[in-house]
Amino acid sequence: QAVVESLRRIAPGANDAPGFKRLVLMSSLGVTRREGFPFVVLNAAGVLDAKAYGEAAVRTAAQEQGFDWTVVRPGQLFGGPYDNNFYLGTLFQLDKDVSTRGVSVTLGDDVAGDTLRSCLAEVLVQCLQNTATRNSDFTVLNVEGDVPDAGQIQESLTSACASSGPN
């Protein structure tokens, strides 16, 4: 709830920040499918509802204030740091194997899978440098393959987002 409240307060005043042009929001896979299985179970505490509200707040503020937005929806997060002792993936230090380090970028919220935290961090940074991701939402997952470099991530982002044009 704190994240949603922060977005509600920050987004409308974003244009007051000198040089502010864009907001990249990390959301969650399943936000647009939260009424269906298995997401209805995952949303029992309202986490996906809150993320959907945050996404909507960003889009509304962007339209009203004139800045660009990007919503990135990762799958279940894997990999370190392992400092959250309340999550099974953390307790067992779950990670993807070395053959599952490739990146898949898909427009919308129609896929399922897992995302390495390190991959997600790189994708979030690369979004800021890629004009094709402006005013779009997409899912990022790790798939079979090697760790992509920044150029390969840029290509994936452009390929997925450029064909749809601005939302």
Side-chain angles (χ1 to χ4, degrees), residues 42-128:
L42 299 172
N43 193 35
V47 172
L48 294 177
D49 289 335
K51 290 182 179 198
Y53 179 79
E55 288 185 19
V58 166
R59 286 187 181 97
T60 299
Q63 185 174 5
E64 292 172 356
Q65 302 286 325
F67 61 86
D68 292 323
W69 56 272
T70 303
V71 173
V72 180
R73 297 187 185 110
Q76 177 177 309
L77 296 177
F78 274 77
Y82 299 106
D83 54 4
N84 175 356
N85 292 325
F86 303 107
Y87 175 63
L88 288 176
T90 299
L91 289 174
F92 297 107
Q93 296 190 2
L94 296 178
D95 209 342
K96 303 304 283 178
D97 62 50
V98 294
S99 66
T100 311
R101 307 277 181 184
V103 173
S104 171
V105 177
T106 307
L107 279 180
D109 183 18
D110 297 323
V111 295
D114 305 320
T115 308
L116 284 163
R117 285 177 175 86
S118 57
C119 167
L120 176 60
E122 185 65 27
V123 168
L124 291 168
V125 169
Q126 294 302 323
C127 283
L128 294 170

